[in-house]
């Protein structure tokens, strides 16, 4: 095999490794479900029972925009995020009409949670949707009680979010911001060098066999 073939393989590996830079929802506990980003994410569009075969109410979550470089300060419940690359995720519980539901669900991300937007009327979320919202998803402006009320809460522990929501009308939506996963460029470079070395040795072996 020629060395150029090994270089091509190494290049493909570098591209694959570089493509793992974004952080995502990687797991969810009982009562939750990870979904694809919907076309619309308002109070009358996506309901908690829509994805369950048994029609049971589930808390839903999806990944939004990934690898966003902050150009301006971003307000979250914890204060202000001023710099760095971030990923965004939406978690919500929403029932059809005035049906009530109460769930506590654990959500896991492959990046550290650095902020949550959960204010009572969803103003923080609405202000950030233009830069953090999923591409192709239409988001509403803030409205009364879109965020968390007195009976709702969340807890952050590293890359784990525990979210307790009690809803009737409207639902509860929160945005979770995680630190973007940056690929280890040194590991990528070493992989490239190793494959190039193997290709060089194979080339010498092929030459000696002639």
């Amino acid at each position: 095999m020629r060395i150029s073939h090994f270089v091509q393989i190494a290049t493909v590996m570098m591209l694959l490794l570089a493509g793992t830079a974004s952080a995502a929802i990687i797991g969810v506990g009982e009562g939750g479900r990870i979904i694809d980003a919907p076309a619309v994410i308002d109070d009358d569009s996506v309901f908690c029972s829509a994805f369950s075969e048994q029609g049971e109410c589930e808390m839903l979550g999806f990944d939004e925009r990934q690898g966003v470089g902050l150009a301006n300060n971003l307000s979250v419940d914890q204060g202000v995020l001023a710099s760095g690359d971030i990923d965004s995720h939406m978690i919500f519980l929403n029932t059809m009409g005035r049906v009530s539901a109460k769930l506590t669900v654990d959500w896991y991300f492959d990046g550290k949670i650095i902020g949550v937007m959960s204010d009572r009327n969803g103003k923080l979320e609405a202000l950030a949707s233009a830069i953090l919202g999923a591409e192709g998803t239409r988001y509403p402006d803030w409205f009364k009680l879109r965020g968390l009320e007195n009976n709702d809460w969340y807890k952050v522990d590293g890359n784990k979010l525990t979210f307790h929501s009690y809803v009737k009308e409207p639902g509860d939506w929160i945005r979770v911001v995680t630190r973007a996963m940056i690929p280890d460029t040194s590991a990528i470079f070493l992989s490239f060098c190793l494959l190039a070395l193997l290709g060089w040795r194979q080339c010498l072996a092929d030459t000696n066999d002639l």
Side-chain angles (χ1 to χ4, degrees):
M1 183 180 291
R2 295 180 179 179
I3 189 170
S4 60
H5 293 165
F6 282 90
V7 172
Q8 291 173 4
I9 295 173
T11 301
V12 171
M13 286 187 63
M14 290 174 68
L15 292 173
L16 290 174
L17 287 169
T20 63
S22 61
I25 303 172
I26 58 173
V28 59
E30 183 178 357
R33 182 184 295 266
I34 302 170
I35 63 172
D36 294 330
V40 184
I41 187 65
D42 60 23
D43 186 49
D44 298 317
S45 298
V46 185
F47 305 108
C48 63
S49 59
F51 300 87
S52 171
E53 294 180 358
Q54 292 76 30
E56 298 175 349
C57 191
E58 297 174 306
M59 191 177 290
L60 304 175
F62 62 91
D63 293 318
E64 298 183 294
R65 206 159 298 183
Q66 309 283 286
V68 178
L70 290 180
N72 299 296
N73 290 346
L74 183 69
S75 296
V76 294
D77 295 351
Q78 292 74 16
V80 175
L81 303 179
S83 62
D85 294 332
I86 61 172
D87 298 323
S88 185
H89 323 270
M90 179 68 70
I91 311 294
F92 65 100
L93 179 61
N94 186 39
T95 62
M96 184 179 295
R98 297 185 60 80
V99 177
S100 63
K102 182 189 295 185
L103 287 171
T104 304
V105 179
D106 292 330
W107 295 85
Y108 301 88
F109 306 83
D110 63 0
K112 181 181 179 181
I113 299 169
I114 56 176
V116 179
M117 301 175 186
S118 72
D119 58 297
R120 187 178 182 88
N121 294 327
K123 291 184 178 181
L124 293 178
E125 176 215 325
L127 288 172
S129 289
I131 60 171
L132 297 183
E135 295 185 13
T137 298
R138 181 164 57 86
Y139 291 79
D141 198 356
W142 69 271
F143 56 81
K144 187 177 180 180
L145 304 183
R146 179 172 172 85
L148 304 191
E149 297 86 51
N150 294 336
N151 293 323
D152 308 315
W153 55 266
Y154 67 84
K155 178 182 178 181
V156 173
D157 182 11
N159 70 332
K160 173 185 175 183
L161 175 90
T162 302
F163 181 18
H164 173 84
S165 174
Y166 173 68
V167 301
K168 192 169 185 180
E169 179 68 18
D172 290 334
W173 288 261
I174 65 173
R175 173 170 282 134
V176 181
V177 180
T178 58
R179 182 65 66 194
M181 300 292 289
I182 305 300
D184 187 348
T185 54
S186 61
I188 295 174
F189 178 73
L190 287 174
S191 297
F192 179 85
C193 291
L194 177 60
L195 283 172
L197 176 61
L198 290 174
W200 176 72
R201 293 183 62 181
Q202 184 63 49
C203 185
L204 288 179
D206 292 344
T207 301
N208 292 333
D209 290 340
L210 295 178

